[in-house]
Amino acid sequence: MPFDHLHATVSALRNGLTSLPLGSAIDNVETWQQQFMQSGEPGLQDIGRELGNLQSILTSGALGATDIGNSLTILGNQVAQASAQASDDAKKPLTELADLLRRHGSDLLAHAEKGQR
């Protein structure tokens, strides 16, 4: 796993979802998806499949907060599980990435719920 790409992703998410241009977000998702799908590890391939789902949502033209929020939450949970088996130097950034994904997912779901009231 390329640590510079991991740190760049964590840094971008720290700044909030809207700080990342949609094109950059899609490119980032695609890069991660390819790496996870090629890993040969079932847990990482599950993350790759969910990244494919997120990419479909982002490229559909209909950016639904509920769909994106659900996908980010699933990804956060999957990354948290993967971090348990990660090397010591990858654990901290992966745990932070998982927390950021879940937080942004939760925020989007809360926003979507408010909009439905």
Side-chain angles (χ1 to χ4, degrees):
M1 182 177 306
F3 287 106
D4 48 343
H5 192 81
L6 175 59
H7 291 295
T9 300
V10 169
S11 179
L13 286 174
R14 265 192 217 125
N15 293 326
L17 293 177
T18 56
S19 70
L20 201 60
L22 185 57
S24 297
I26 292 168
D27 290 346
N28 197 15
V29 167
E30 187 175 337
T31 299
W32 280 115
Q33 181 191 21
Q34 289 171 355
Q35 290 177 5
F36 287 132
M37 293 307 290
Q38 294 168 359
S39 71
E41 295 181 37
L44 296 181
Q45 289 174 331
D46 286 345
I47 294 172
R49 281 187 277 286
E50 187 56 40
L51 285 168
N53 180 48
L54 178 60
Q55 186 175 19
S56 295
I57 294 166
L58 295 176
T59 57
S60 72
L63 299 176
T66 300
D67 292 337
I68 296 171
N70 283 331
S71 185
L72 292 177
T73 301
I74 290 167
L75 283 167
N77 291 336
Q78 290 173 324
V79 170
Q81 288 176 341
S83 71
Q85 284 84 40
S87 63
D88 288 343
D89 53 347
K91 260 190 204 330
K92 187 174 190 262
L94 283 173
T95 300
E96 183 175 0
L97 178 60
D99 291 345
L100 286 165
L101 288 166
R102 289 189 286 213
R103 188 180 77 212
H104 288 310
S106 177
D107 289 350
L108 279 172
L109 290 171
H111 177 75
E113 194 174 298
K114 276 186 195 170
Q116 291 175 351
R117 286 185 194 157

